[in-house]
């Protein structure tokens, strides 16, 4: 990694995955990003921090072939601006706009300077994550007026959808420009469920923060709670007991199993194959019921805590899960065959919502959708944190990048997770400590944690202040990368296929709106 | 086709008995006439509005549609537009960015209508706090639109959600 730039002074993070940080100057930012991009690396996240008299800091987290690299760029109090990197990493566009909305740190010469997370609920010139933000004084109820890009031409018309959608789904606005049935352009607008999560972390204790992290995106509660715990453990330089790590992996795989089962059911439903919905949701319900019976929560909220886990699995529980595993493996294989042999289903899946590998690489598509377009990244494989290093996870990839490919990757990952669950249980022998208590964190610490959630890489960064309290916490959802790609996936498809394409990605709103 | 039918027969009927209504969930005294409640009870249409949830509550609302809870078997279904709905299920704290959309959805729902608040956040702002301590939140649902029945839980179980819906369409005891 040292060959990225002669000035790069790397310090390793004591975290469970290979990760380094380095202070840089503004003039080097684009150069380093270019180098990382050229060597096949990706952008993970961008966030800012208000350090009062010391000015601001911009953090740019990159993923290279050797691990994570966090660039720390100090900015002056008076002019907190930095060079635009959205020309190098297109996914930086919305992240940079969010950094401006939250902290007033601007990306110089960025092509798109529209607001992103801020609609009109607080004053244009106040920034919630600045330490002197006065919520009462900043309150506004202005009319929201977002400059959508207009497509002109004969026969072109617009279909505005949302924020309240037709299904049971989170809110967001989609603006389709269509000719007849065919979509020429889709523009997304999110931020409707921005609920001040990052600000809220700043007044939370370490333990409250863990609960909050587990509610950034409810369907990925284990992934967020683990990433948060990993970041905290990185600052404290502590490793949880082995048993806790095995249990975390068990929970994370169960989260993946539950979500894939649910989405595979809905994908059937979206092509009028309601048999698929009924069957998969019976299976999902059984997983959730076992979670409730064995771990006290259907979605495993609050099961991962800083320092370890809060619940154990005994021999009787292992037996229940082994039987569940055998049943699921059998049923999923059968249902997969039925999906694959059903001409009507395949006709709707194949070729729909295609993201070619080249486009996926260019735009930084990640997670399961990325793997369905040949983007072979899986944290459990390349940068396996314990216990994944001992599990030999088989990565699922596909090159077609259409709905069918995403369905295939889900089936492969589902069956792989069931295999992993069996292996994990074989390693959960006897009893042992569930956690090494982590009451508070050292002062002025900085830690990162990242795990492969069912949707893709979930990252949490924590900074502590001079008293060891949470000074700044930034959770990052892989949907930041993937939402803009969905805009491309729909081009040339017909409007009625949008729900299907959308479901095949199933991106998070809450995880990005924060 | 043969395989699909075989699987359906093998699966059998999973649906469990529906729960009883629960008066303790009622926050506003029942205000609809018995005749209307009877009509709702036979075929109720629901529109979901996520006003700022973490998506956890939505997962359980999806689950009430599965074969075990079989909401549609009770004559209750989710519809695509508030204009077709008799009841709004609302989740989350109300984010300030969703305040207008929630009010408009409420106004677009024809009278007589019922509102059921789903989850801890919908009841009291939950972990995200309220308008008092969070610049981006309006707090609980009742701060923005009138609520008939509210059920807590993070998220509430499908049985609790069913119970809340059934309470709203039952006469007050
Ligand atoms: S009650 Fe819990 S599950 Fe529901 S929206 Fe709030 S945090 Fe999420």
């Amino acid at each position: 990694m040292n060959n990225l730039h002669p000035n790069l002074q790397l310090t390793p993070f004591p975290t469970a995955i290979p990760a380094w940080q380095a202070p840089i100057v503004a003039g080097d930012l684009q150069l380093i990003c270019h180098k990382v991009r050229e060597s096949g690396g990706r952008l993970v996240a961008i966030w800012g921090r208000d350090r009062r008299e010391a000015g601001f800091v911009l953090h740019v987290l990159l993923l290279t072939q050797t691990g994570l690299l966090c660039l720390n760029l100090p900015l002056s109090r008076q002019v907190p601006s930095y060079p635009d990197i959205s020309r190098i990493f297109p996914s930086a566009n919305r992240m940079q706009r969010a950094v401006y909305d939250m902290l007033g740190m601007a990306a110089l010469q960025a092509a798109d300077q529209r607001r992103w997370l801020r609609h009109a609920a607080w004053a244009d010139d106040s920034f919630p994550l600045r330490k002197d933000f006065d919520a009462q004084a900043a309150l506004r109820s202005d009319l929201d007026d977002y400059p959508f890009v207009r497509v002109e031409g004969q026969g072109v018309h617009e279909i505005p959808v949302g924020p309240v959608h037709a299904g049971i789904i989170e809110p967001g606005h989609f603006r389709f420009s269509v000719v007849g049935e065919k979509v020429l352009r889709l523009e997304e607008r999110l931020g409707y469920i921005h609920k001040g999560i990052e600000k809220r972390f700043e007044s939370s204790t370490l333990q409250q923060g863990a609960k909050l992290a587990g509610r950034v995106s409810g369907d990925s509660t284990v992934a967020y709670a683990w990433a948060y715990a990993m970041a905290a453990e990185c600052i404290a330089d502590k490793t949880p007991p082995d048993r806790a790590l095995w249990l975390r992996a068990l929970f994370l795989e169960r989260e993946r199993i539950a979500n894939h089962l649910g989405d595979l059911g809905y994908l059937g439903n979206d092509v009028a194959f309601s048999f698929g919905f009924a069957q998969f949701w019976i299976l999902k319900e059984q997983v959730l019921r076992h979670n409730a019976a064995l771990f006290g929560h259907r979605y495993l909220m609050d099961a991962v805590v800083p320092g370890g886990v809060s619940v154990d699995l005994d021999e009787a529980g292992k037996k229940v899960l082994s039987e569940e595993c055998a049943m699921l493996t059998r049923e999923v294989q059968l249902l997969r065959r039925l999906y694959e042999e059903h001409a009507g289903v395949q006709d709707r899946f194949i070729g729909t919502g295609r993201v070619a590998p080249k486009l996926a690489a260019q735009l930084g598509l990640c997670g399961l959708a990325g793997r369905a377009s040949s983007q072979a990244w899986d944290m459990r494989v390349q940068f396996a944190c314990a216990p994944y290093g001992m599990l030999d996870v088989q990565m699922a990839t596909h090159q077609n990048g259409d709905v069918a490919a995403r369905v295939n990757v889900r089936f492969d990952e589902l069956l792989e997770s069931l295999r992993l669950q069996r292996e994990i249980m074989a390693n959960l022998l006897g009893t042992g400590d569930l956690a090494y208590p982590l009451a508070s964190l050292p002062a002025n610490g900085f830690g990162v944690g990242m795990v492969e959630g069912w949707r893709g890489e979930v990252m949490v960064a924590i900074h502590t202040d001079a008293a060891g309290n949470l000074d700044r916490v930034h959770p990052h959802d892989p949907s930041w990368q993937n939402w803009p790609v969905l805009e491309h996936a729909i081009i040339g498809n017909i409007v009625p296929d949008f729900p299907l394409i959308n479901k095949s990605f199933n991106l998070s709103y809450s995880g990005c709106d924060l | 086709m043969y395989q699909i039918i075989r699987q359906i027969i093998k699966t059998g009927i999973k649906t469990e008995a529906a729960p009883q209504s629960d008066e303790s969930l009622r926050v506003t005294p029942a205000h609809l006439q018995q005749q209307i409640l009877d009509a709702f009870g036979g075929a109720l249409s629901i529109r979901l509005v996520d006003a700022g949830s973490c998506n956890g509550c939505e997962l359980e609302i999806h689950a009430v549609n599965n074969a075990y809870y079989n909401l549609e078997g009770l004559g209750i279904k989710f519809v695509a537009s508030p204009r077709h709905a008799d009841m709004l299920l609302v989740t989350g704290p109300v984010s300030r960015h969703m305040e207008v959309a929630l009010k408009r959805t409420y106004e677009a729902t024809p009278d007589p209508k019922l509102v059921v608040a789903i989850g801890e956040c919908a009841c009291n702002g939950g972990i995200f706090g309220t308008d008092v301590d969070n610049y981006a939140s309006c707090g609980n649902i009742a701060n923005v639109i009138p609520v008939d029945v509210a059920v807590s839980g993070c998220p509430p179980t499908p049985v609790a959600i069913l119970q809340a819906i059934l309470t709203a369409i039952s006469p007050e005891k």
Side-chain angles (χ1 to χ4, degrees), chain A residues 215 218 301, chain B residues 52-58 91-93 118-122 125-128 153-156:
Chain A
R215 285 156 183 82
M301 279 178 170
Chain B
S53 104
C54 78
N55 200 30
C57 283
E58 275 64 31
T91 62
I118 301 288
E120 203 68 31
C121 297
I127 193 159
F128 304 108
C154 180

Side-chain angles (χ1 to χ4, degrees), chain A residues 119-139:
Chain A
H119 289 189
W122 64 90
D124 187 46
D125 57 354
S126 42
F127 305 101
L129 289 182
R130 286 200 178 175
K131 298 290 180 191
D132 58 0
F133 177 71
D134 180 346
Q136 285 314 318
L139 232 59

Side-chain angles (χ1 to χ4, degrees), chain A residues 121 165 192 266 285 298-299, chain B residues 47 54 60 62 69 95-96:
Chain A
H165 293 298
Y192 287 92
Y266 265 111
E285 180 67 21
R298 282 163 58 92
Y299 298 93
Chain B
R47 170 76 285 227
C54 78
E60 292 298 46
H62 284 296
Y69 307 105
S95 74
R96 298 201 51 235

Side-chain angles (χ1 to χ4, degrees), chain A residues 117 121 140 165 167 191-195 200 215 218-219 266 279 285-286 289 297-299 331 334, chain B residues 3 7 10-11 16 47 50 52-55 60 62 66 68-69 95-97 127-128 134-135 154 158:
Chain A
L117 288 183
R140 295 285 183 285
H165 293 298
Y192 287 92
I193 45 174
H194 174 73
K195 43 192 173 283
R200 218 151 161 81
R215 285 156 183 82
D219 54 38
Y266 265 111
Q279 291 286 324
E285 180 67 21
Q286 295 182 33
R289 287 184 176 195
H297 195 284
R298 282 163 58 92
Y299 298 93
E331 294 293 302
L334 176 86
Chain B
Q3 284 272 357
Q7 180 71 4
K10 194 188 88 189
T11 307
E16 298 167 351
R47 170 76 285 227
D50 172 344
S53 104
C54 78
N55 200 30
E60 292 298 46
H62 284 296
N66 77 29
Y68 287 87
Y69 307 105
S95 74
R96 298 201 51 235
H97 287 166
I127 193 159
F128 304 108
N134 185 338
Y135 70 93
C154 180

